[in-house]
Amino acid sequence: GAVVSQHPSWVICKSGTSVKIECRSLDFQATTMFWYRQFPKQSLMLMATSNEGSKATYEQGVEKDKFLINHASLTLSTLTVTSAHPEDSSFYICSASGRLGGEETQYFGPGTRLLVL
Amino acid sequence: SQKIEQNSEALNIQEGKTATLTCNYTNYSPAYLQWYRQDPGRGPVFLLLIRENEKEKRKERLKVTFDTTLKQSLFHITASQPADSATYLCALGGSSNTGKLIFGQGTTLQVKP
């Protein structure tokens, strides 16, 4: 149980285009999902908290107009990188809050590698 | 500001030995601490959670300790195997019930046969 999927697993796009990444909880409902970004050999940096049916809460320094988050259902959150630039190239990972074996924790997707040319 | 430190240098050990990884934090009082495993190009996988009122927790070959006075957690893998080679991340969670986690940068473990 507690499987989270992401699509696509990798994407290459031209500078200026927008890219949408989907995060789905496959076998449980998640009222809260999180979006992270990870650069090589660095830690996961939380970008935003996504709550079903409400606006996302962004971390300091993350542009909400550039990284659009939509949490339309209890099993799906999407992150859209608008007008992507090479500096947006990174590994984007989502997670969903869930409870397994009595422990509330985050279950992570496999990540999406974005390369902006 | 809140800071989490994990040994940035890779840890190399021989198969069968016990691996010990360290997580130190400052300017934070977490309600719980979690350890995750991350393989290259993959998302983290949850391993263990330990709460502030717990000193130690075990799961199979894994053991975690949590010392809120020292602001430190130790993560042990006994009888290590080459398959344990990965990056291990510690993450701190607060009492605000938002579920937000703050991650350390991870320590890479290499177990040699």
Side-chain angles (χ1 to χ4, degrees), chain A residues 34-49:
Chain A
F34 301 89
W35 286 95
Y36 295 84
R37 182 166 51 181
Q38 187 177 35
F39 292 104
K41 297 191 184 299
Q42 293 189 25
S43 181
L44 278 76
M45 296 303 297
L46 180 65
M47 299 174 67
T49 303

Side-chain angles (χ1 to χ4, degrees), chain B residues 52-94:
Chain B
E52 59 179 337
N53 60 348
E54 298 175 310
K55 296 289 186 186
E56 180 180 300
K57 205 156 195 180
R58 293 174 185 259
K59 180 182 176 182
E60 297 172 355
R61 294 185 294 112
L62 308 180
K63 185 178 85 170
V64 172
T65 63
F66 194 10
D67 189 326
T68 55
T69 302
L70 290 179
K71 294 186 182 295
Q72 180 183 78
S73 175
L74 299 179
F75 177 77
H76 306 271
I77 305 175
T78 59
S80 59
Q81 305 165 1
D84 295 326
S85 300
T87 296
Y88 291 86
L89 306 168
C90 75
L92 305 183

Side-chain angles (χ1 to χ4, degrees), chain B residues 5-88:
Chain B
E5 287 187 356
Q6 292 185 254
N7 193 339
S8 58
E9 294 183 7
L11 179 63
N12 295 295
I13 65 167
Q14 205 67 34
E15 182 177 9
K17 300 292 185 183
T18 296
T20 299
L21 285 69
T22 305
C23 176
N24 295 294
Y25 59 93
T26 55
N27 298 323
Y28 198 62
S29 295
Y32 57 90
L33 185 149
Q34 301 186 7
W35 284 88
Y36 287 81
R37 168 182 173 143
Q38 186 176 25
D39 291 284
R42 306 292 296 174
V45 174
F46 171 72
L47 296 175
L48 279 168
L49 180 152
I50 187 166
R51 301 190 183 279
E52 59 179 337
N53 60 348
E54 298 175 310
K55 296 289 186 186
E56 180 180 300
K57 205 156 195 180
R58 293 174 185 259
K59 180 182 176 182
E60 297 172 355
R61 294 185 294 112
L62 308 180
K63 185 178 85 170
V64 172
T65 63
F66 194 10
D67 189 326
T68 55
T69 302
L70 290 179
K71 294 186 182 295
Q72 180 183 78
S73 175
L74 299 179
F75 177 77
H76 306 271
I77 305 175
T78 59
S80 59
Q81 305 165 1
D84 295 326
S85 300
T87 296
Y88 291 86

Side-chain angles (χ1 to χ4, degrees), chain A residues 31-108:
Chain A
T31 54
T32 304
M33 290 185 174
F34 301 89
W35 286 95
Y36 295 84
R37 182 166 51 181
Q38 187 177 35
F39 292 104
K41 297 191 184 299
Q42 293 189 25
S43 181
L44 278 76
M45 296 303 297
L46 180 65
M47 299 174 67
T49 303
S50 170
N51 294 297
E52 186 266 338
S54 64
K55 290 183 179 180
T57 303
Y58 290 82
E59 295 299 301
Q60 193 173 9
V62 178
E63 300 175 57
K64 63 180 181 180
D65 294 329
K66 180 169 183 62
F67 299 99
L68 302 179
I69 292 173
N70 187 320
H71 195 155
S73 77
L74 288 172
T75 59
L76 173 65
S77 176
T78 60
L79 168 69
T80 301
V81 183
T82 62
S83 187
H85 287 93
E87 57 265 29
D88 298 323
S89 299
S90 187
F91 191 49
Y92 291 87
I93 312 175
C94 72
S95 71
S97 284
R99 184 178 293 273
L100 186 67
E103 299 285 9
E104 179 79 24
T105 186
Q106 292 186 26
Y107 298 94
F108 284 83

Side-chain angles (χ1 to χ4, degrees), chain B residues 99-111:
Chain B
K100 283 173 56 173
L101 294 174
I102 302 173
F103 280 85
Q105 79 273 30
T107 297
T108 298
L109 171 66
Q110 187 71 36
V111 181

